Amino acid sequence: MLLKADLHLHTREGERFIAYDARTLIDRAAREGFRVLSITNHDTVTFSAELERYARERGIVLIPGVEATIEGRHVLLYNPDVALDRIRTFSDLRRLRGPGWLVVAPHPFFPHPSCLRDRLLKEIDLFDAIEFSHFYSRRINFNQRAVRLAREVGLPLLGTSDSHLTRQFGTTYSLIEADPAAASVLRAIRKGQVHVVSRPLALRQLVGIALELVRGSSRER
């Protein structure tokens, strides 16, 4: 079964400037045919049994996730079963990660201090997949190096929208060959049973999204 999935999403529970909360996002995703989601707010797990039930009632598998900050770099963790404050270093992650986890490198080569960049090469054994981010145009595409690295090391690409804004959602996503259950989805990603669906943004869209995110982040401070 091919499941339409987006495993990198942010909601108002994590950042106040975001216009929608988790339930609103789940409702929209259900209308648009998504079957798998993960809400990955920064350094906080938004997942709960109640939210999982809400998603399931709408035909969606909700996977626990978080965009954790480790040594100042962002890392996507799925199905973590230890407190986040115990994962301060990459050594901690290497020691504590369990067999049911999935670890993904988000937008690794984007020009921001929180992105992994060359640190990904040093810690590559920790990662199960590399993100293909929605944020690119035909002329500006920081995903290119991620695509080359994934090919070189044999890791799958995972397409996501990294949505903080309504207009980001649905621009890039993944089709995952799995049963509609969290363990099956994560296992399928590790095996590379995932296809990225994406289209480049127009330059004006790229600039508009960037400006809106900067304004929103400024209001959070």
Side-chain angles (χ1 to χ4, degrees):
M1 180 181 296
L2 283 178
L3 305 176
K4 188 177 182 181
D6 192 338
L7 299 183
H8 189 176
L9 299 164
H10 298 272
T11 64
R12 190 187 300 151
E13 287 87 349
E15 294 171 83
R16 289 172 297 171
F17 81 88
I18 295 176
Y20 50 84
D21 62 13
R23 285 170 175 76
T24 303
L25 179 62
I26 290 168
D27 289 341
R28 177 183 173 182
R31 290 193 301 271
E32 297 184 15
F34 281 84
R35 299 292 307 281
V36 183
L37 299 178
S38 185
I39 296 169
T40 53
N41 285 320
H42 292 283
D43 298 311
T44 183
V45 177
T46 302
F47 180 91
S48 68
E50 182 182 354
L51 199 58
E52 181 186 29
R53 182 169 56 253
Y54 187 88
R56 185 171 60 250
E57 290 169 352
R58 287 151 182 80
I60 289 174
V61 176
L62 188 65
I63 297 177
V66 63
E67 188 166 11
T69 304
I70 301 175
E71 296 186 38
R73 310 298 178 95
H74 288 175
V75 177
L76 289 167
L77 304 178
Y78 301 95
N79 235 13
D81 56 2
V82 301
L84 291 178
D85 60 8
R86 297 181 62 193
I87 310 174
R88 299 182 181 277
T89 68
F90 287 98
S91 294
D92 292 338
L93 178 58
R94 188 171 279 105
R95 176 170 50 86
L96 294 172
R97 66 169 295 174
W101 294 28
L102 185 81
V103 181
V104 176
H107 40 66
F109 298 110
F110 280 53
H112 191 278
S114 67
C115 296
L116 284 157
R117 300 181 67 78
D118 290 341
R119 190 64 188 266
L120 175 57
L121 306 179
K122 182 177 180 182
E123 312 290 353
I124 194 67
D125 63 296
L126 281 171
F127 291 87
D128 300 298
I130 298 173
E131 181 184 69
F132 186 96
S133 172
H134 86 290
F135 192 74
Y136 71 103
S137 69
R138 295 190 187 280
R139 291 190 175 186
I140 302 171
N141 189 355
F142 298 108
N143 287 314
Q144 290 175 332
R145 191 175 171 192
V147 172
R148 290 196 298 270
L149 178 63
R151 188 181 302 120
E152 289 169 5
V153 300
L155 288 179
L157 290 167
L158 184 68
T160 80
S161 69
D162 189 8
S163 287
H164 295 70
L165 309 174
T166 299
R167 56 179 157 158
Q168 291 176 288
F169 185 72
T171 53
T172 294
Y173 57 89
S174 293
L175 295 175
I176 301 171
E177 187 178 347
D179 295 325
S184 179
V185 169
L186 298 183
R187 186 165 54 247
I189 295 170
R190 292 187 206 99
K191 292 180 178 179
Q193 296 169 192
V194 55
H195 174 68
V196 175
V197 179
S198 185
R199 56 175 173 79
L201 301 172
L203 185 57
R204 59 181 170 75
Q205 291 176 303
L206 199 73
V207 172
I209 288 170
L211 290 175
E212 193 169 348
L213 288 174
V214 168
R215 286 195 296 267
S217 297
S218 298
R219 291 198 299 270
E220 288 286 304
R221 297 192 185 103

